[in-house]
Amino acid sequence: MFRTHRGLARWPAHHGATGHDLAATSTWPAIRERARAGELEIHIADINCYTPGGIEECIAGDIDALSPVSWGTGRPDPYWPAQACELLLDVGAWAGDDAAREALSPAQPLGRLVASILDPHAARPSPGPARTTEASQWRELVDTLTARFRVH
């Protein structure tokens, strides 16, 4: 994780030689070379911004804030919940950890809830008591994810 674009652009030149998965890619030497020359430009497309935070609160309280109908109203990214799930699943697969895949399975309460949120044609969850179990499961997945990050 990098706090700034500049930090990301500088890391390959100074600290990114070895010890990570990117070092094994065929393009890594070229990236390092450009970073060392000060020619590496970083462009992060909106579709590559993942924000799993805030979803827990919506699950526990205002589930409609995650509804496809309300996406784009106050959220910078209309794919916010879908991308958060994608991030959790991808990082879990990379780490060899099935917890996210299992929790987000349609056979599980959190998975059914997420599926109903992501599918605009699915039956909406009925109003009712707070979904504290599902919110807690989401929080656990996010905590596991962020524990894997190293901030540079």
Side-chain angles (χ1 to χ4, degrees):
M1 298 274 308
F2 296 89
R3 296 183 197 280
T4 66
H5 286 79
R6 186 178 192 172
L8 174 57
R10 294 173 96 184
W11 182 78
H14 302 289
H15 307 287
T18 60
H20 53 82
D21 290 351
L22 293 174
T25 65
S26 62
T27 56
W28 191 247
I31 291 169
R32 290 200 70 229
E33 173 98 11
R34 292 196 70 188
R36 279 188 248 151
E39 299 170 351
L40 187 62
E41 293 182 30
I42 305 295
H43 300 282
I44 301 172
D46 289 344
I47 196 150
N48 291 320
C49 294
Y50 301 87
T51 309
I55 293 177
E56 173 189 1
E57 292 80 8
C58 293
I59 290 172
D62 183 12
I63 197 74
D64 287 335
L66 296 173
S67 166
V69 174
S70 67
W71 290 355
T73 57
R75 299 277 181 222
D77 184 347
Y79 303 104
W80 177 46
Q83 286 180 292
C85 289
E86 178 185 343
L87 177 64
L88 292 168
L89 292 168
D90 287 352
V91 171
W94 168 81
D97 181 353
D98 290 335
R101 185 181 54 76
E102 291 169 5
L104 295 171
S105 162
Q108 299 299 319
L110 177 60
R112 280 192 297 277
L113 179 63
V114 167
S116 73
I117 292 166
L118 297 179
D119 181 355
H121 304 293
R124 300 294 303 144
S126 59
R131 293 169 181 85
T132 55
T133 301
E134 291 89 340
S136 176
Q137 287 176 316
W138 184 268
R139 169 56 39 211
E140 190 174 315
L141 292 174
V142 171
D143 287 348
T144 299
L145 171 74
T146 56
R148 290 187 166 107
F149 293 159
R150 287 187 318 185
V151 178
H152 297 275

